[in-house]
Amino acid sequence: MKRLINKINSICFSLESRFGLLMSSFILGLIVLGFDMLYVTPKFELAYHGLQYSVLSNNPFDFTTTIFVRYRILPSFLGYITFLRGNLFVIVPLIFALLFISLLYWRYRKKSYVPVDALLFTGLIAFSCTLFIQLTAPGYTDTAFYFFIFLSFAFISNVLKSAMFFMLALLTHESCFFLLPGLLFYAYYINSNKIDILKYLLGYCIAIIPLLLYRNWVSSHVHVEFDLDFYFSEKNIHFAITRVLPLIPAGAFYAFKLFWFFPIYAMYKSLQNKDFKFLILISIILICNFAQLVIAFDVTRMLCLGFPAILLSAEKIKTSWSSLRFTKFALGLTLINFLILQNYISADGLIPMLPWPYTSLVNFMVGL
């Protein structure tokens, strides 16, 4: 194990020495994304919400077309102005997936983590349904708001930057509201200053305004099916609770599989050490994340929004363990995690996410 760790560090240091950290992060991001496409079979044909986003990208302000995801404007608008419209829109979420993976590695190297640890922290997200679902649901824009949410947490020490990234996340998907309590408490956890917290509260309130103004403007022109009345209707809540509740344990497991160890163990140790602030922080993120399931059906996909709890908990554990102990454990856990075949859970039940070599072989055999 130690030899493998040293080899990974050596390769990454060599790469960074030759190309610099930024370019190396993109190269490693491409490698990781390529591995993801082997582990779960990628799809590129737009369907369901992905198809809706692609239609919206053709002309985001054409109100003659019925689009029920119209409030989630940012990715489609970016596709429109970059000419990645219509069928080409499938490229936009993949770009965000690559940016997200690359950003994770870059950020943890900037925090002075050795390359192998930066890669392991990247893998906590890249080797989970946070990225896997994006590859099997082409056109869905989840990686875009994950990207902005991560930046909101990463730049928590700068209220302007954090609030700006949170604003962009909201313009991508309104479900990011569910992480606002966790984001605010994280600001308190980092600063522990009442004056600073008031600044953050004001900053995030201002960040919400563009979405509210945009929704109000759109609503004055056209009815959007996915609005508050739809999500909080008695019919929708009843369906979500009766259909989704039994699926939550399995759906939650497949979001991160064995990586759930980190928040569970970190919360246990925080309780044991009477570190109640950290315990409350992770609890708020997870409780608010699970609260989505009162109004939403894609269990595993929805719960991926709680990825900051995985990262923050792993960071906490790393500070309390020796560097080598953490690296060995995280690497071992990651390798074992790959042995558990990937699935995700929606209101329709369990849906397998089979490896590309397997599906290719099956398709070849069927074609004989």
Side-chain angles (χ1 to χ4, degrees):
M1 181 74 78
K2 191 173 181 179
R3 183 178 297 177
L4 176 61
I5 291 170
N6 291 335
K7 185 66 175 178
I8 294 172
N9 277 328
S10 176
I11 292 172
C12 290
F13 277 130
S14 176
L15 193 67
E16 292 176 18
S17 176
R18 183 175 181 181
F19 296 103
L21 178 58
L22 184 62
M23 184 57 66
S24 298
S25 299
F26 278 108
I27 294 171
L28 291 170
L30 282 169
I31 294 171
V32 171
L33 187 60
F35 179 84
D36 281 353
M37 290 183 176
L38 290 174
Y39 190 68
V40 298
T41 304
K43 299 177 182 177
F44 301 99
E45 185 177 347
L46 294 159
Y48 305 111
H49 289 190
L51 186 58
Q52 288 273 305
Y53 288 119
S54 71
V55 173
L56 184 61
S57 70
N58 287 321
N59 190 343
F61 308 113
D62 174 16
F63 297 125
T64 62
T65 306
T66 300
I67 299 176
F68 49 77
V69 296
R70 190 177 288 278
Y71 290 141
R72 304 162 189 174
I73 185 62
L74 184 57
S76 294
F77 178 73
L78 292 175
Y80 175 74
I81 63 175
T82 58
F83 297 97
L84 295 175
R85 306 169 184 172
N87 291 335
L88 291 178
F89 178 76
V90 70
I91 299 173
V92 174
L94 290 177
I95 290 174
F96 273 104
L98 174 59
L99 290 174
F100 189 22
I101 295 170
S102 304
L103 173 66
L104 283 162
Y105 180 81
W106 179 86
R107 179 64 180 174
Y108 282 105
R109 286 293 287 127
K110 280 293 187 179
K111 295 182 72 169
S112 299
Y113 284 29
V114 294
V116 66
D117 285 345
L119 274 176
L120 287 170
F121 272 82
T122 302
L124 295 180
I125 306 304
F127 302 144
S128 73
C129 269
T130 316
L131 262 293
F132 293 154
I133 288 179
Q134 182 65 76
L135 299 178
T136 59
Y140 277 62
T141 59
D142 297 23
T143 50
F145 63 85
Y146 295 154
F147 175 78
F148 292 124
I149 283 294
F150 176 75
L151 286 170
S152 295
F153 276 86
F155 288 95
I156 196 69
S157 59
N158 187 312
V159 62
L160 292 178
K161 289 182 179 179
S162 183
M164 179 190 69
F165 290 127
F166 185 65
M167 176 193 72
L168 295 174
L170 289 174
L171 289 169
T172 303
H173 203 295
E174 65 276 7
S175 67
C176 296
F177 270 118
F178 284 90
L179 280 190
L180 180 56
L183 199 54
L184 276 169
F185 196 85
Y186 187 46
Y188 169 71
Y189 178 79
I190 295 296
N191 294 285
S192 297
N193 186 305
K194 291 183 179 180
I195 297 177
D196 284 339
I197 297 307
L198 290 176
K199 290 181 181 179
Y200 280 92
L201 181 60
L202 177 61
Y204 294 134
C205 286
I206 293 174
I208 296 170
I209 293 175
L211 176 63
L212 296 179
L213 292 175
Y214 177 72
R215 288 174 70 100
N216 183 66
W217 178 68
V218 170
S219 299
S220 68
H221 289 83
V222 65
H223 172 70
V224 179
E225 183 178 353
F226 282 3
D227 59 5
L228 292 178
D229 290 338
F230 168 81
Y231 280 111
F232 288 95
S233 66
E234 183 178 346
K235 178 182 178 181
N236 184 62
I237 293 174
H238 179 266
F239 178 84
I241 292 176
T242 57
R243 191 76 173 265
V244 170
L245 192 60
L247 303 174
I248 289 179
F253 172 75
Y254 282 115
F256 299 102
K257 293 190 296 192
L258 298 183
F259 295 152
W260 280 112
F261 165 84
F262 292 106
I264 292 172
Y265 182 77
M267 292 172 72
Y268 164 73
K269 293 301 292 184
S270 295
L271 181 62
Q272 189 179 60
N273 298 331
K274 297 183 179 180
D275 185 359
F276 297 120
K277 284 177 65 176
F278 188 80
L279 176 63
I280 293 171
L281 170 63
I282 301 302
S283 298
I284 288 175
I285 294 174
L286 293 179
I287 289 171
C288 291
N289 185 39
F290 275 82
Q292 295 180 89
L293 300 181
V294 174
I295 59 173
F297 321 138
D298 291 338
V299 185
T300 302
R301 177 171 161 257
M302 292 293 104
L303 294 182
C304 287
L305 183 61
F307 74 87
I310 304 292
L311 294 174
L312 293 174
S313 298
E315 289 180 24
K316 184 74 170 179
I317 294 171
K318 189 179 186 305
T319 61
S320 62
W321 289 2
S322 69
S323 179
L324 184 59
R325 180 190 177 191
F326 177 86
T327 303
K328 285 183 175 180
F329 178 83
L331 181 56
L333 194 69
T334 300
L335 294 174
I336 295 172
N337 217 31
F338 287 133
L339 301 179
I340 304 172
L341 290 179
Q342 190 65 55
N343 298 276
Y344 76 91
I345 307 292
S346 71
D348 297 323
L350 184 144
I351 301 171
M353 306 171 77
L354 301 173
W356 178 80
Y358 174 82
T359 56
S360 297
L361 179 61
V362 169
N363 290 334
F364 174 76
M365 297 297 292
V366 170
L368 291 178

